[in-house]
Amino acid sequence: MKLPPRPAEPGELIPTDYFQRLTPAELFTTQAPLEVDLGCGDGALALGLARQFPERNFLAVERLLGRVRKVCRRATNGGLQNLRVLRLEARYTVEWLLPHSSVSRLHLLFPDPWPKARHHRRRLVQGQFLLAVHQVLVPGGEFLFKTDDEDYFEWAQTELSLFNRFEALSWKEEDFPYPQTDFEARWRTEGREVFQLRVRKPG
Ligand SMILES: C[S@@+](CC[C@H](N)C(=O)[O-])C[C@H]1O[C@@H](n2cnc3c(N)ncnc32)[C@H](O)[C@@H]1O
């Protein structure tokens, strides 16, 4: 039995074709630098950035429908025209849907660390994914990553150096406004460390 398509939430992006790359026009009608938040959760980062930078566009990607609906509701209530939400798997979005050379910043905050060795191959940050990140970034575009898991952080550093096509950038708190997510705030309140890295596709 074929189910009828789910109607889009206000502010939600439902691609017309999941087997073709999106066009910039399908993403946003107004052309502007694009930032993508993968696994946006409650959307604190994407919502906060969209408010602070109305001259940029933001795509929040999340697989859980409840969270997608919540972020859409907050964006609509806040009158944010520059934020859209895509309900889709993060890796698929980067590898198959985002247009090449379209993203100025790609954020990946607190993805699942898959701590067991036999699950490491499920970690997002590794060769094939990094190649796709490199392809979707514009020259000079950045990939920003945070994790609470030291082992995953070291893994990500190793994968990035093996991939060897990004330049490392420093990332201090005062460099630019970067809203803290609830997840990070909770983690820091417990006195735990957050590991972060920022790299750039050479321009
Ligand atoms: C630990 S939470 C972090 C949320 C947010 N980035 C933050 O910092 O608050 C991870 C989020 O990523 C989503 N997620 C996990 N795996 C995903 C995947 N493969 N594709 C899309 N979203 C995913 C989860 O549903 C969850 O909302």
mmCIF file of all heavy atoms in Angstrom, residues 30-49:
data_model
loop_
_atom_site.group_PDB
_atom_site.id
_atom_site.type_symbol
_atom_site.label_atom_id
_atom_site.label_comp_id
_atom_site.label_asym_id
_atom_site.label_seq_id
_atom_site.Cartn_x
_atom_site.Cartn_y
_atom_site.Cartn_z
ATOM 1 N N THR A 30 16.096 33.069 -2.063
ATOM 2 C CA THR A 30 17.077 34.151 -2.003
ATOM 3 C C THR A 30 18.472 33.548 -1.938
ATOM 4 O O THR A 30 18.749 32.747 -1.044
ATOM 5 C CB THR A 30 16.859 34.985 -0.719
ATOM 6 O OG1 THR A 30 15.489 35.298 -0.639
ATOM 7 C CG2 THR A 30 17.687 36.253 -0.709
ATOM 8 N N GLN A 31 19.326 33.906 -2.872
ATOM 9 C CA GLN A 31 20.680 33.354 -2.871
ATOM 10 C C GLN A 31 21.556 34.075 -1.847
ATOM 11 O O GLN A 31 21.595 35.307 -1.814
ATOM 12 C CB GLN A 31 21.299 33.441 -4.267
ATOM 13 C CG GLN A 31 20.546 32.598 -5.306
ATOM 14 C CD GLN A 31 20.291 31.168 -4.833
ATOM 15 O OE1 GLN A 31 21.208 30.445 -4.498
ATOM 16 N NE2 GLN A 31 19.018 30.764 -4.773
ATOM 17 N N ALA A 32 22.203 33.300 -1.001
ATOM 18 C CA ALA A 32 23.041 33.847 0.072
ATOM 19 C C ALA A 32 23.965 32.724 0.520
ATOM 20 O O ALA A 32 23.687 31.547 0.242
ATOM 21 C CB ALA A 32 22.151 34.291 1.244
ATOM 22 N N PRO A 33 25.052 33.046 1.229
ATOM 23 C CA PRO A 33 25.912 31.961 1.728
ATOM 24 C C PRO A 33 25.091 30.954 2.540
ATOM 25 O O PRO A 33 24.229 31.351 3.329
ATOM 26 C CB PRO A 33 26.930 32.695 2.610
ATOM 27 C CG PRO A 33 26.948 34.085 2.070
ATOM 28 C CD PRO A 33 25.553 34.368 1.589
ATOM 29 N N LEU A 34 25.371 29.677 2.292
ATOM 30 C CA LEU A 34 24.583 28.611 2.924
ATOM 31 C C LEU A 34 25.384 27.922 4.035
ATOM 32 O O LEU A 34 26.541 27.549 3.834
ATOM 33 C CB LEU A 34 24.204 27.578 1.849
ATOM 34 C CG LEU A 34 23.509 26.308 2.335
ATOM 35 C CD1 LEU A 34 22.129 26.625 2.920
ATOM 36 C CD2 LEU A 34 23.370 25.300 1.190
ATOM 37 N N GLU A 35 24.743 27.755 5.206
ATOM 38 C CA GLU A 35 25.342 26.972 6.290
ATOM 39 C C GLU A 35 24.424 25.787 6.568
ATOM 40 O O GLU A 35 23.198 25.910 6.496
ATOM 41 C CB GLU A 35 25.501 27.832 7.551
ATOM 42 C CG GLU A 35 26.368 29.048 7.299
ATOM 43 C CD GLU A 35 26.965 29.661 8.551
ATOM 44 O OE1 GLU A 35 27.052 28.973 9.589
ATOM 45 O OE2 GLU A 35 27.336 30.845 8.471
ATOM 46 N N VAL A 36 25.030 24.665 6.900
ATOM 47 C CA VAL A 36 24.255 23.440 7.144
ATOM 48 C C VAL A 36 24.586 22.911 8.529
ATOM 49 O O VAL A 36 25.764 22.810 8.908
ATOM 50 C CB VAL A 36 24.594 22.373 6.066
ATOM 51 C CG1 VAL A 36 23.891 21.064 6.367
ATOM 52 C CG2 VAL A 36 24.215 22.873 4.676
ATOM 53 N N ASP A 37 23.546 22.599 9.306
ATOM 54 C CA ASP A 37 23.720 22.019 10.645
ATOM 55 C C ASP A 37 23.223 20.573 10.593
ATOM 56 O O ASP A 37 22.017 20.324 10.498
ATOM 57 C CB ASP A 37 22.915 22.860 11.657
ATOM 58 C CG ASP A 37 23.055 22.340 13.076
ATOM 59 O OD1 ASP A 37 23.920 21.473 13.324
ATOM 60 O OD2 ASP A 37 22.287 22.804 13.948
ATOM 61 N N LEU A 38 24.163 19.632 10.661
ATOM 62 C CA LEU A 38 23.806 18.210 10.535
ATOM 63 C C LEU A 38 23.439 17.620 11.894
ATOM 64 O O LEU A 38 24.231 17.715 12.834
ATOM 65 C CB LEU A 38 24.994 17.430 9.987
ATOM 66 C CG LEU A 38 25.390 17.656 8.540
ATOM 67 C CD1 LEU A 38 26.594 16.786 8.201
ATOM 68 C CD2 LEU A 38 24.246 17.384 7.590
ATOM 69 N N GLY A 39 22.271 16.997 11.996
ATOM 70 C CA GLY A 39 21.825 16.444 13.278
ATOM 71 C C GLY A 39 21.552 17.595 14.234
ATOM 72 O O GLY A 39 22.134 17.681 15.300
ATOM 73 N N CYS A 40 20.615 18.451 13.820
ATOM 74 C CA CYS A 40 20.438 19.751 14.519
ATOM 75 C C CYS A 40 19.771 19.611 15.876
ATOM 76 O O CYS A 40 19.764 20.569 16.655
ATOM 77 C CB CYS A 40 19.658 20.710 13.639
ATOM 78 S SG CYS A 40 17.921 20.251 13.455
ATOM 79 N N GLY A 41 19.177 18.467 16.191
ATOM 80 C CA GLY A 41 18.534 18.295 17.494
ATOM 81 C C GLY A 41 17.414 19.303 17.689
ATOM 82 O O GLY A 41 16.524 19.427 16.847
ATOM 83 N N ASP A 42 17.465 20.064 18.785
ATOM 84 C CA ASP A 42 16.399 21.047 19.027
ATOM 85 C C ASP A 42 16.624 22.333 18.242
ATOM 86 O O ASP A 42 15.860 23.289 18.382
ATOM 87 C CB ASP A 42 16.261 21.332 20.533
ATOM 88 C CG ASP A 42 17.488 22.018 21.108
ATOM 89 O OD1 ASP A 42 18.423 22.340 20.344
ATOM 90 O OD2 ASP A 42 17.517 22.258 22.329
ATOM 91 N N GLY A 43 17.680 22.382 17.464
ATOM 92 C CA GLY A 43 17.880 23.496 16.533
ATOM 93 C C GLY A 43 18.523 24.734 17.128
ATOM 94 O O GLY A 43 18.581 25.780 16.477
ATOM 95 N N ALA A 44 19.042 24.638 18.345
ATOM 96 C CA ALA A 44 19.570 25.844 19.013
ATOM 97 C C ALA A 44 20.644 26.533 18.167
ATOM 98 O O ALA A 44 20.662 27.767 18.073
ATOM 99 C CB ALA A 44 20.122 25.483 20.383
ATOM 100 N N LEU A 45 21.517 25.755 17.563
ATOM 101 C CA LEU A 45 22.590 26.368 16.774
ATOM 102 C C LEU A 45 22.013 27.050 15.526
ATOM 103 O O LEU A 45 22.251 28.239 15.292
ATOM 104 C CB LEU A 45 23.636 25.322 16.357
ATOM 105 C CG LEU A 45 24.756 25.939 15.523
ATOM 106 C CD1 LEU A 45 25.778 26.631 16.418
ATOM 107 C CD2 LEU A 45 25.444 24.913 14.651
ATOM 108 N N ALA A 46 21.254 26.286 14.738
ATOM 109 C CA ALA A 46 20.744 26.830 13.472
ATOM 110 C C ALA A 46 19.811 28.022 13.733
ATOM 111 O O ALA A 46 19.888 29.045 13.037
ATOM 112 C CB ALA A 46 20.018 25.732 12.705
ATOM 113 N N LEU A 47 18.943 27.903 14.738
ATOM 114 C CA LEU A 47 18.018 29.005 15.043
ATOM 115 C C LEU A 47 18.789 30.239 15.504
ATOM 116 O O LEU A 47 18.524 31.356 15.076
ATOM 117 C CB LEU A 47 17.022 28.576 16.133
ATOM 118 C CG LEU A 47 15.945 27.577 15.701
ATOM 119 C CD1 LEU A 47 15.370 26.848 16.914
ATOM 120 C CD2 LEU A 47 14.830 28.289 14.943
ATOM 121 N N GLY A 48 19.766 30.010 16.384
ATOM 122 C CA GLY A 48 20.553 31.130 16.916
ATOM 123 C C GLY A 48 21.332 31.832 15.811
ATOM 124 O O GLY A 48 21.343 33.068 15.730
ATOM 125 N N LEU A 49 21.951 31.042 14.934
ATOM 126 C CA LEU A 49 22.731 31.641 13.847
ATOM 127 C C LEU A 49 21.814 32.344 12.846
ATOM 128 O O LEU A 49 22.142 33.427 12.340
ATOM 129 C CB LEU A 49 23.564 30.566 13.137
ATOM 130 C CG LEU A 49 24.754 30.004 13.924
ATOM 131 C CD1 LEU A 49 25.415 28.862 13.154
ATOM 132 C CD2 LEU A 49 25.789 31.085 14.232
#
